[in-house]
């Protein structure tokens, strides 16, 4: 870590009205491309749907109300390794609560966890067992939202995990749990590798299990696992187009996303449609205002480029041969059926000390937004196992 101040400063969101006025002027004058008739979502976001969503964004969505809601949370910033890091820190009223750092991914943000904060920090007030209480730390990944943009390269999964270790130490937590989905899953697993004496358990709601190619590895798979292998192949092909672009040319992509709020919206909302447990539109799975608040955090902070660079850094790290090692810390996996990819238990056991595994009946990639009650219960159950 660089020799930077350890000061933790209170933070409050206060977007200048001029920024909102500019956004509204762009939403009033957006241009649409042509589209082929009858294709639905096959080629991307349909024009009729996006027009409807932009109209709602311009005339019905209230950023100031959302800003007020977010500012009810205790937010802070601190400098770690030369980067300003934004985080929410909610302490439980229970003195015996377990510290837990939860990390979002792309195209998400800390707003994914809003519905989890109350039940996890104060279960007594939400009909739960006070023994299941957590002190929550919800950081924004460097390069995302109010932790961005990043000012130098090298912010990969390992570097973020090291920053999280430093953050938890600054907050006075010597032993804690970690949780995450998407990039948050990878960061949480890496944190357990670099700080095994600190991390008591790793809970993830997204896990990629790649075959290694070793003879016999795919023998005796459980029924349904071959379908999961096919889903992984689809992700590496058709579903992974966004990742190929962000891993190779994030800067070029970012000009369009940073300049056009409608472009930024389309780029993100497509993923909320494809990766959630919905049929026709993502609002079947996720509240529309919450979705737009998430998009606003990318647009207002101008972090399309720096958030996409995280993919570039990951690809560069993998190309250098920095493959993850097995995790010996206890791991819990919550599997939601409409996720991008679904893990295979046999391969997960190869890579980690899996002590908890739940196959949920509903939900997708954004579990905290789609199925908060199920995710809360899974987190409580897992950490109850590893602490008893």
């Amino acid at each position: 870590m660089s020799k930077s101040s350890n000061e933790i400063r209170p933070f409050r969101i206060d977007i200048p009205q001029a920024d909102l006025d500019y956004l509204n002027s762009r939403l009033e004058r957006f241009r649409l491309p042509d589209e082929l008739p009858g294709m639905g979502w096959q080629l991307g976001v349909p024009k009729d749907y996006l027009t409807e969503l932009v109209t709602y964004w311009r005339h019905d969505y209230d950023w100031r109300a959302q800003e007020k809601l977010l500012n009810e949370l205790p937010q802070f910033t601190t400098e770690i390794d030369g980067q300003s890091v934004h985080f929410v820190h909610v302490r439980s009223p229970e003195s015996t609560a377990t510290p837990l750092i939860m990390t979002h991914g792309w195209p998400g943000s800390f707003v994914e966890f809003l519905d989890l904060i109350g039940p996890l920090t104060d279960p007594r007030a939400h009909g739960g067992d006070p023994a299941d209480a957590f002190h929550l730390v919800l950081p924004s990944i460097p390069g995302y939202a109010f932790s961005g943009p990043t000012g130098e390269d090298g912010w990969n999964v390992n570097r973020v995990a090291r920053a999280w270790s430093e953050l938890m130490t600054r907050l006075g937590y010597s032993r804690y749990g970690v949780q995450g989905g998407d990039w948050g899953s990878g960061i949480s697993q890496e944190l357990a590798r670099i700080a095994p004496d600190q991390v008591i358990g790793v809970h993830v709601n997204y896990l990629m299990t790649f075959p290694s190619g070793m003879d016999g590895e795919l023998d005796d798979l459980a029924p349904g696992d071959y379908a999961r292998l096919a889903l992984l192949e689809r992700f590496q092909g058709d579903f992974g187009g966004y990742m190929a672009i962000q891993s190779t040319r994030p800067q070029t992509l970012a000009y369009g996303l940073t300049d056009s709020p409608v472009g930024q919206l389309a780029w993100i909302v497509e993923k909320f449609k494809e990766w959630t447990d919905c049929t026709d539109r993502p609002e079947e799975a996720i509240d529309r205002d919450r979705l737009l608040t998430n998009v606003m955090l990318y647009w207002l902070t101008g972090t399309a480029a720096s958030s996409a660079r995280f993919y570039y850094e990951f690809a560069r790290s993998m190309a250098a041969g920095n493959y993850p090692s097995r995790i010996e810390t206890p791991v819990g996996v919550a599997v939601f059926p409409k996720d991008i990819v679904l893990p295979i238990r046999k391969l997960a056991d190869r890579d980690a000390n899996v002590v908890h595994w739940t196959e949920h009946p509903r939900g997708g990639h954004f579990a905290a937004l789609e199925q908060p009650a199920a995710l809360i219960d899974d987190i409580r159950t897992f950490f109850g196992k590893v602490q008893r």
Side-chain angles (χ1 to χ4, degrees):
M1 298 294 173
S2 66
K3 295 180 180 179
S4 58
S5 170
N6 289 354
E7 180 185 3
I8 294 174
R9 299 169 294 277
F11 178 82
R12 182 176 177 81
I13 303 170
D14 186 14
I15 300 300
Q17 185 60 41
D19 291 357
L20 301 181
D21 292 343
Y22 176 69
L23 169 63
N24 288 333
S25 71
R26 294 297 302 271
L27 295 180
E28 289 284 4
R29 297 180 294 109
F30 71 97
R31 296 199 310 164
L32 289 171
D34 74 299
E35 69 174 0
L36 296 176
M39 300 300 290
W41 288 82
Q42 185 175 343
L43 300 181
V45 184
K47 187 160 62 175
D48 286 348
Y49 170 77
L50 193 66
T51 300
E52 174 193 325
L53 189 55
V54 171
T55 300
Y56 179 86
W57 190 6
R58 171 66 184 93
H59 297 287
D60 298 292
Y61 174 80
D62 186 348
W63 165 256
R64 290 302 186 199
Q66 298 299 313
E67 185 180 66
K68 181 179 178 181
L69 175 67
L70 296 179
N71 279 331
E72 292 175 0
L73 300 172
Q75 299 176 68
F76 306 88
T77 60
T78 190
E79 185 179 327
I80 303 177
D81 199 8
Q83 177 68 31
S84 179
V85 173
H86 163 266
F87 62 97
V88 172
H89 183 202
V90 184
R91 289 190 59 84
S92 170
E94 307 294 340
S95 60
T96 57
T98 301
L100 178 66
I101 181 169
M102 303 182 70
T103 309
H104 65 88
W106 184 91
S109 66
F110 72 97
V111 302
E112 292 181 49
F113 303 124
L114 294 184
D115 293 337
L116 277 59
I117 293 173
L120 287 179
T121 59
D122 194 3
R124 189 192 302 267
H126 292 80
D129 185 345
D132 291 329
F134 295 90
H135 301 305
L136 287 186
V137 179
L138 313 174
S140 298
I141 297 172
Y144 289 70
F146 302 110
S147 288
T150 42
E152 61 182 11
D153 64 354
W155 278 103
N156 55 27
V157 169
N158 177 267
R159 189 171 178 181
V160 175
R162 289 185 283 117
W164 280 192
S165 175
E166 171 65 17
L167 175 61
M168 295 302 276
T169 298
R170 288 187 193 180
L171 294 175
Y173 298 133
S174 59
R175 293 277 289 164
Y176 50 86
V178 297
Q179 200 283 331
D182 197 85
W183 284 124
S185 172
I187 292 167
S188 296
Q189 293 173 64
E190 186 69 4
L191 187 47
R193 294 186 186 97
I194 67 170
D197 294 335
Q198 295 175 306
V199 177
I200 61 175
V202 181
H203 184 278
V204 298
N205 55 277
Y206 175 75
L207 185 67
M208 300 191 77
T209 50
F210 290 98
S212 67
M214 295 180 61
D215 290 342
E217 185 179 56
L218 300 182
D219 294 345
D220 303 319
L221 291 182
D225 282 346
Y226 292 103
R228 296 188 175 195
L229 287 174
L231 190 62
L232 178 61
E233 290 180 5
R234 184 185 181 193
F235 172 72
Q236 293 175 301
D238 176 45
F239 262 31
Y242 79 98
M243 186 168 59
I245 295 173
Q246 297 193 154
S247 297
T248 56
R249 296 296 184 272
Q251 189 67 30
T252 304
L253 169 69
Y255 290 110
L257 303 186
T258 303
D259 180 62
S260 169
V262 175
Q264 180 70 87
L265 173 66
W267 189 245
I268 289 178
V269 78
E270 179 192 87
K271 302 313 169 195
F272 278 88
K273 163 61 170 63
E274 291 183 337
W275 299 350
T276 57
D277 192 355
C278 69
T279 302
D280 296 316
R281 51 179 57 212
E283 292 94 328
E284 296 169 10
I286 297 171
D287 177 78
R288 177 179 277 190
D289 282 359
R290 191 64 54 82
L291 190 158
L292 286 171
T293 297
N294 183 72
V295 173
M296 287 286 279
L297 291 184
Y298 284 83
W299 167 258
L300 292 171
T301 60
T303 48
S306 55
S307 61
R309 283 197 297 267
F310 205 74
Y311 287 83
Y312 173 81
E313 296 291 352
F314 177 77
R316 188 166 68 164
S317 179
M318 293 296 287
N322 298 318
Y323 301 116
S325 59
R326 176 179 165 82
I327 300 173
E328 301 303 333
T329 302
V331 172
V333 182
V335 183
F336 291 86
K338 297 299 182 178
D339 209 337
I340 319 169
V341 296
L342 299 176
I344 294 172
R345 179 63 190 265
K346 180 180 179 181
L347 302 184
D349 288 332
R350 174 201 65 191
D351 297 335
N353 176 23
V354 179
V355 301
H356 171 84
W357 185 282
T358 310
E359 299 274 348
H360 291 272
R362 294 178 302 279
H365 190 64
F366 303 94
L369 289 169
E370 298 179 66
Q371 297 292 329
L375 184 60
I376 288 166
D377 182 66
D378 212 283
I379 291 170
R380 288 172 174 171
T381 300
F382 168 69
F383 284 103
K385 287 180 180 180
V386 301
Q387 294 186 102
R388 295 187 181 117

